[in-house]
Amino acid sequence: MFDIFKLIIFEKENPLPLYVQLFNKVKELIESEALLPDFKLPSIRQMSKELNINRVTVVTAFKELEKQGYAYTKPGSGTFVSNAYLVSPKNIHIQNNVVLDEVYNQDDISLINNGQISISQSTINFASATPTPDLFPVDDFKVALNQVLERDKGNAFGYQDSQGFYPIRESIAGILNKSNVSCIPDELQIISGAQQGIDIISKALLKQGDYVITESPTYTGAIAVFKSRGAQISDIELCEDGLNLNILEYTIKKYNPKLIYTIPSFQNPTGYSCTNAKREEVIKLAEKYNLYIIEDDYVSDLDFEGKNYIPMKSLDKYNRVIFIKSYSKIFMPGLRLGFMIVPSSILSNVIKAKHATDISTSGLIQRAFDLYIREGFWDKHARFMFNIYKDRYLKITNALDNYLPSSASYIKPGGGLNIWISLPFGFSINKLFNLSVSNDIVFAPGKIFYSSNSSQKHNNIRLSFASVYADKIESGIEKLSNTITSLQKISESYRNLPVL
Ligand SMILES: Cc1ncc(COP(=O)(O)O)c(C=O)c1O
């Protein structure tokens, strides 16, 4: 057995009390991972005998370890190393994680990314639409990973087929065929996240100067990809029920675009969804004008109010829709895993683009996720996440109905993870942002989601509830609403000052 006593040596000259020295030594062993979570520490009697110190010294050191989150006690069994220290403030780099799911490049937001505005652990984070790590199914995934290593040995680490490991394509096709998108494994392309999918499609289909139509506002990561490929973006204002079809057709005729990029269900950032009837019309336009549609499906599964939107891919009689699926919102974003259903007419170009980008998505991760699906873990986890998010959705919409001042408004999306709040024209979002940060609240300012200066016509903020614990939502919305009200009062009192 591992001999902990050899690693605990007291220095005679050290002026610190013995219990502090013991605490520091054990703490060092835990932080350096020489002692792992759930390791049983020797009993108080053993410690005092082996180290030749008083029992009270050991008891006091153990109590301090417990108090600081390094250890826990099981009555009747002893004291064990805890894993709580892993989330102690020292180990959380929240400043760097808080907003990474969107591209922020303006004003105060870049200060957050640079760590110049620091966000404490108590900050209520309405800016990130990414689940918190405590929701990740680590134990079940570990089972799948271990089984893959046992089963496939070194094969798990070789290069994979660029289109994706065949069995995982079968598993995904199996899941899709139970829903209303039917496909065969040969139509699927595995990708290292939806972001890569958008990039690969752009690489395969766009030349410098080609036009892409996007909704306005839209996902910042897609704007960044199209710009980086030298494409020109023609953005069309998104309505509550999808794009205006006349404006869409007019824009297609004017710019002759290669692609339409759309997030038809619970759009990011607005939460708006395109009606099923409009989806069909958009596909007809794509066929009429010979272009492709990227359907970005990042949260359609989170349909809390039974809206039953039909994926565009399942309405796609003409094979014009490239369906891209992200797992980042309901699974683990760091796995970098997703898939696309690709029309046969462009499949070989897409596979070549994928190969040129990274040869293939990690074989180990593909195999483990395949097993994870086959063992039934996926269905269980998807249900778990749905319930967690639904609870948060109900809490945030309830709180907004109760606290949001009448000058602000929002449209209930029915699902997804984002709520788009409209504020009166002229209201300073920058001031609201700064004041909210000092009140421990962050959100995403609406202007970052616009590719052109059309944001000047709007005044919005995006609230996401993926990262906010249910019991923090109401107080967060109340604080934010009070901040909006007090800022409005200040600006009204300035307006009412007599002109001298
Ligand atoms: C609409 C949308 N598409 C794609 C992505 C990227 O997803 P992934 O992590 O799978 O690359 C995001 C991430 O926030 C998103 O909001």
Side-chain angles (χ1 to χ4, degrees), residues 186-355:
D186 285 348
E187 294 170 298
L188 289 172
Q189 168 67 59
I190 302 297
I191 43 181
S192 308
Q195 182 69 24
Q196 186 187 64
I198 303 168
D199 190 50
I200 284 171
I201 295 299
S202 304
K203 197 176 196 173
L205 298 188
L206 297 177
K207 288 194 306 296
Q208 177 91 13
D210 281 345
Y211 269 89
V212 176
I213 293 183
T214 70
E215 293 154 347
S216 176
T218 192
Y219 168 51
T220 56
I223 299 174
V225 165
F226 300 135
K227 287 191 173 163
S228 76
R229 295 267 162 215
Q232 314 232 46
I233 297 176
S234 173
D235 56 344
I236 301 178
E237 185 168 340
L238 183 65
C239 311
E240 195 189 321
D241 63 348
L243 292 176
N244 175 310
L245 294 173
N246 292 331
I247 300 179
L248 178 60
E249 183 157 14
Y250 169 83
T251 313
I252 294 174
K253 280 197 207 152
K254 185 166 172 196
Y255 295 110
N256 189 22
K258 290 272 167 54
L259 273 176
I260 299 176
Y261 169 76
T262 177
I263 311 167
S265 300
F266 315 123
Q267 201 248 12
N268 180 11
T270 58
Y272 299 164
S273 297
C274 180
T275 59
N276 291 336
K278 272 195 179 181
R279 292 175 192 225
E280 282 191 89
E281 294 306 315
V282 175
I283 295 169
K284 281 187 198 153
L285 286 174
E287 171 67 7
K288 184 169 171 192
Y289 294 99
N290 187 27
L291 49 99
Y292 288 97
I293 299 168
I294 294 182
E295 174 180 19
D296 184 339
D297 178 348
Y298 78 120
V299 286
S300 71
D301 330 62
L302 304 177
D303 179 6
F304 306 129
E305 293 182 6
K307 300 277 185 193
N308 295 321
Y309 295 116
I310 304 174
M312 292 178 85
K313 189 67 212 167
S314 66
L315 301 168
D316 183 21
K317 289 195 273 247
Y318 311 107
N319 234 349
R320 290 278 160 194
V321 177
I322 303 150
F323 178 86
I324 302 188
K325 180 79 189 163
S326 169
Y327 286 125
S328 294
K329 309 300 172 189
I330 40 177
F331 200 44
M332 301 186 274
L335 272 193
R336 309 310 302 134
L337 194 67
F339 70 85
M340 307 195 276
I341 309 176
V342 183
S344 54
S345 48
I346 57 168
L347 184 61
S348 68
N349 282 350
V350 170
I351 296 172
K352 272 189 224 149
K354 167 72 181 169
H355 190 273

Side-chain angles (χ1 to χ4, degrees), residues 159-163 189 351 353-361:
Y159 284 126
Q160 302 294 311
D161 176 355
S162 294
Q163 196 177 347
Q189 168 67 59
I351 296 172
K354 167 72 181 169
H355 190 273
T357 294
D358 66 350
I359 302 179
S360 77
T361 294

Side-chain angles (χ1 to χ4, degrees), residues 2 118 367 455 458 460 468:
F2 170 67
S118 81
R367 286 160 196 258
S455 69
H458 304 277
N460 300 85
V468 187

